[in-house]
Every structure is written in C-alpha cells, then in structure tokens.
Amino acid sequence: MITTLLNYLANSSAITYIVLALLSIYLIITFWIFIYRNAALTKLISNEKKALESLTSREARFSPLSALNKCSNNSNSKELLHACEINLIKDASEGVSWLAIISSTSPFIGLFGTVVGILESFAKFANQSKVAFSVIAPAISEALVATAAGILVAIFAYTFHQIISRKVYELNIYLKAESQILIAKG
C-alpha cells in the first residue's frame, strides 16, 4: 500500500500534487471546524438546557450560565430576546457553510485530478503503437486516487456538517423555549 502510494506520488504531475495538497488542506479545515464548533456547541447546549430546566423548575429563575441571559441582561423584552436568539444562532453556526462548501467541492477537485491523471497517462501511451491492458490499468488506477481522496474529504465534511447543523438546531430549540417562557412571565 505504502509502496503503491509512493510510486503514485513519484509518477504524479504538478497538478496532482496541487489537487492532493488542496484536498489535504480541506481535510484539515474540516476537522478543525468540527472539533472547534462541536466543543463550543456542546457547552452552549448544556448551559441552555440547564437554563431551561431552571426556568421550568419551582425556582423559575434564569440561569446566569445562559448565553441568552447574558445577551439580554435579564430583560424579558420580546424584541431583545429575539435579537439575542438570532445573534446566538449566527455565532453558533459559524463555519457550517464552510463544511457545506468543502463537502460539495472536494469530489469535483478529486475528479479534476483524476481527469488530468488519465489525460497524462493517455499522452504517455500516444507514441506507442500497442499498449497492453496491464500497462493502462495501473496508470488509470493511479489517476483514480484523486477521486478517492476527494470523496473521502467529502464524506467527513458532509457528516460533520450534518452533526453541527443538528446541534445548532437543538440550541435554537432551547433558546426559543427559554424566550417564550421569559416573554410569558414578563
């Protein structure tokens, strides 16, 4: 496997290196966004869940840990609470669009690398009168590595996009429930 990969890289063109470098950058960005956003959202959701539980308990007080509480300064104003909800969701969903972009463009980048690799392979074979399948197959399979890399990056980006989007949705539900309770009390 490693020998095949090293042979692939040794026989690759500058375009292939650029494609694989770009996909590597995409993969790093994907994991960075996911790790950062997931940790931040997990903490936010936990705090807002506790705040909602506090509002619906016998104490019926607003938790100081709540981001909605901090934003609204203990106000029960419908307009201010709504503005805070929007601002918190905007901040919480930061980076999600990048995951969507990466998940949709990385297969195309990989496909571009594959097409270039196949074109280069055919260009090498153009001067030969007879080329056996045993010579063509390895060249084509090496070119397909770029498509596989693009699909691999897309799988992670799409999966992480779905996870983060779901957490943003869950946070939004907690914020809206808290706002409704506060407005009703106000």
Side-chain angles (χ1 to χ4, degrees):
M1 173 76 178
I2 293 176
T3 308
T4 306
L5 185 60
L6 293 175
N7 286 339
Y8 169 74
L9 291 173
N11 296 324
S12 296
S13 68
I15 295 290
T16 304
Y17 286 127
I18 291 169
V19 165
L20 291 178
L22 182 58
L23 290 172
S24 297
I25 292 168
Y26 266 17
L27 189 62
I28 290 166
I29 291 170
T30 297
F31 274 92
W32 182 80
I33 290 171
F34 177 71
I35 291 167
Y36 176 72
R37 284 283 97 205
N38 190 48
L41 282 168
T42 299
K43 183 178 177 183
L44 267 172
I45 289 169
S46 174
N47 287 343
E48 297 310 320
K49 184 177 181 181
K50 288 176 188 172
L52 182 60
E53 288 169 357
S54 177
L55 281 173
T56 57
S57 71
R58 290 181 190 218
E59 299 169 13
R61 61 180 181 84
F62 208 7
S63 170
L65 295 175
S66 171
L68 188 62
N69 183 22
K70 291 174 188 172
C71 177
S72 67
N73 292 322
N74 290 324
S75 171
N76 290 358
S77 163
K78 182 177 181 177
E79 293 77 17
L80 182 59
L81 287 168
H82 183 66
C84 286
E85 283 177 40
I86 291 169
N87 191 44
L88 289 169
I89 293 301
K90 179 189 71 67
D91 290 346
S93 62
E94 190 174 296
V96 174
S97 61
W98 278 106
L99 292 175
I101 290 167
I102 291 171
S103 70
S104 64
T105 59
S106 59
F108 294 115
I109 293 168
L111 185 59
F112 174 73
T114 297
V115 169
V116 169
I118 289 173
L119 289 173
E120 288 173 350
S121 297
F122 286 153
K124 289 178 190 174
F125 304 140
N127 297 333
Q128 299 175 7
S129 60
K130 289 186 180 181
V131 180
F133 183 73
S134 61
V135 175
I136 293 173
I140 302 272
S141 68
E142 287 176 3
L144 289 171
V145 169
T147 296
I151 291 170
L152 179 71
V153 172
I155 289 169
F156 283 111
Y158 182 75
T159 302
F160 294 163
H161 176 270
Q162 293 300 100
I163 291 168
I164 298 298
S165 293
R166 174 63 189 167
K167 286 193 172 206
V168 169
Y169 173 78
E170 188 177 344
L171 175 66
N172 191 30
I173 295 300
Y174 286 125
L175 293 172
K176 287 193 179 309
E178 289 174 61
S179 291
Q180 292 300 320
I181 291 170
L182 291 169
I183 290 167
K185 286 182 179 182

